[in-house]
Amino acid sequence: MRPVIITANWKMNTSPADAGPLAVEIAKATEVAGVSRIICPPYVALAPVKAALAGTDVAVGAQNVHAEAKGAYTGEISASMLVGLASWCIVGHSERRRDQFESDALIGQKIVRLVEAGIMPMLCCGEQLEEREAGAAVRTVQAQVKAALEVVLAQGGSLPDDLVIAYEPVWAIGTGKTASGADAAEMADAIRATLADLAGAAFAEATPVLYGGSVTADSFAEFMAEPAVDGALIGGASLKADQMSAIAATAAEAAAARAMG
Ligand code: PEP
């Protein structure tokens, strides 16, 4: 059975001083059975958040990593630098694809680096509004996942068992609009079809697929009602303990129902 996962992406919010207390508040507010929790603060807050969460089972994630292992890349952070600070790392977030022009090949290279360092990758994918309106959403997302993971296969031989995919339609991120539960489930199935082609049906079936894009306490239940969707990557609402508390409660209900079969 796949885990139910809720991931907080704090983006470029919080400071080293206030991130630890917020992480503790969210950890307490989301303490429920059967749900894996990950908090991804900015780089400069990784150490205080890690320290603040000691003794809890909330994992810490980074929001990005460089595609090279080391070298003359001023201002960048390598996978090995994250060891001890983060057990997860988001890659391929649409804001980085948009602002840093990250390609699928580069994102795949980042996953290679994370695997080398023993850090679990959360690969983001998602279509633009025009692609959805043109009926190309599934094709676009499948192509993103395939292109990134083919880089990993070409260099490493196999895909990491702890891979998580976050499906985030770009038009839904930070806009207050969400996909429907049915659209998210259709995309999760399509992503698993691509994973099955790349690494076999068992790998695809075992890989969690999260939904992201304006998830709130109000919208989350629609996604958790879909057996193909295993949780959420949450941006704006993840900075609010009351929102995260309600999201965790919904996740726990879904996890319990899934455990019952
Ligand atoms: C995200 O940061 O991945 C995200 C989905 O943001 P938001 O929930 O604010 O749309």
Side-chain angles (χ1 to χ4, degrees), residues 99-186:
D99 299 338
Q100 275 74 38
F101 312 107
E102 291 194 0
S103 67
D104 294 316
L106 182 85
I107 292 160
Q109 194 61 40
K110 292 180 178 206
I111 296 175
V112 171
R113 295 279 98 87
L114 291 172
V115 172
E116 285 169 0
I119 294 173
M120 296 178 271
M122 184 173 292
L123 169 61
C124 299
C125 54
E127 81 284 359
Q128 306 279 345
L129 185 58
E130 311 78 71
E131 290 163 333
R132 176 155 289 274
E133 286 174 347
V138 165
R139 195 164 68 237
T140 299
V141 169
Q142 285 185 318
Q144 289 173 341
V145 171
K146 184 166 184 280
L149 296 182
E150 275 178 348
V151 172
V152 184
L153 288 172
Q155 294 191 39
S158 63
L159 297 183
D161 284 338
D162 39 29
L163 176 71
V164 168
I165 309 278
Y167 165 57
E168 302 202 301
V170 178
W171 47 270
I173 296 179
T175 59
K177 295 180 193 151
T178 63
S180 67
D183 284 343
E186 181 199 24

Side-chain angles (χ1 to χ4, degrees), residues 7-256:
T7 305
N9 176 14
W10 286 355
K11 310 193 184 193
M12 199 170 71
N13 296 295
T14 72
S15 70
D18 61 27
L22 179 61
V24 169
E25 195 188 350
I26 288 176
K28 284 188 187 141
T30 57
E31 211 163 6
V32 292
V35 178
S36 301
R37 297 167 291 165
I38 307 169
I39 295 180
C40 304
Y43 281 142
V44 294
L46 283 171
V49 166
K50 174 88 181 157
L53 293 176
T56 76
D57 62 0
V58 181
V60 178
Q63 298 174 15
N64 178 44
V65 71
H66 198 266
E68 297 297 334
K70 63 176 181 175
Y73 303 101
T74 302
E76 296 292 346
I77 302 289
S78 72
S80 63
M81 293 174 189
L82 295 173
V83 172
L85 292 173
S87 45
W88 287 91
C89 184
I90 296 170
V91 289
H93 194 283
S94 68
E95 287 155 9
R96 295 198 61 82
R97 293 178 188 257
R98 178 195 67 200
D99 299 338
Q100 275 74 38
F101 312 107
E102 291 194 0
S103 67
D104 294 316
L106 182 85
I107 292 160
Q109 194 61 40
K110 292 180 178 206
I111 296 175
V112 171
R113 295 279 98 87
L114 291 172
V115 172
E116 285 169 0
I119 294 173
M120 296 178 271
M122 184 173 292
L123 169 61
C124 299
C125 54
E127 81 284 359
Q128 306 279 345
L129 185 58
E130 311 78 71
E131 290 163 333
R132 176 155 289 274
E133 286 174 347
V138 165
R139 195 164 68 237
T140 299
V141 169
Q142 285 185 318
Q144 289 173 341
V145 171
K146 184 166 184 280
L149 296 182
E150 275 178 348
V151 172
V152 184
L153 288 172
Q155 294 191 39
S158 63
L159 297 183
D161 284 338
D162 39 29
L163 176 71
V164 168
I165 309 278
Y167 165 57
E168 302 202 301
V170 178
W171 47 270
I173 296 179
T175 59
K177 295 180 193 151
T178 63
S180 67
D183 284 343
E186 181 199 24
M187 196 61 84
D189 288 344
I191 289 167
R192 289 203 178 90
T194 297
L195 295 177
D197 285 346
L198 291 170
F203 181 87
E205 195 48 39
T207 301
V209 178
L210 314 185
Y211 169 78
S214 295
V215 167
T216 62
D218 290 338
S219 63
F220 185 50
E222 179 174 351
F223 299 103
M224 289 317 293
E226 299 290 343
V229 178
D230 303 308
L233 177 54
I234 308 143
S238 74
L239 291 156
K240 298 175 189 141
D242 60 335
Q243 285 283 317
M244 288 302 284
S245 171
I247 287 168
T250 301
E253 273 174 36

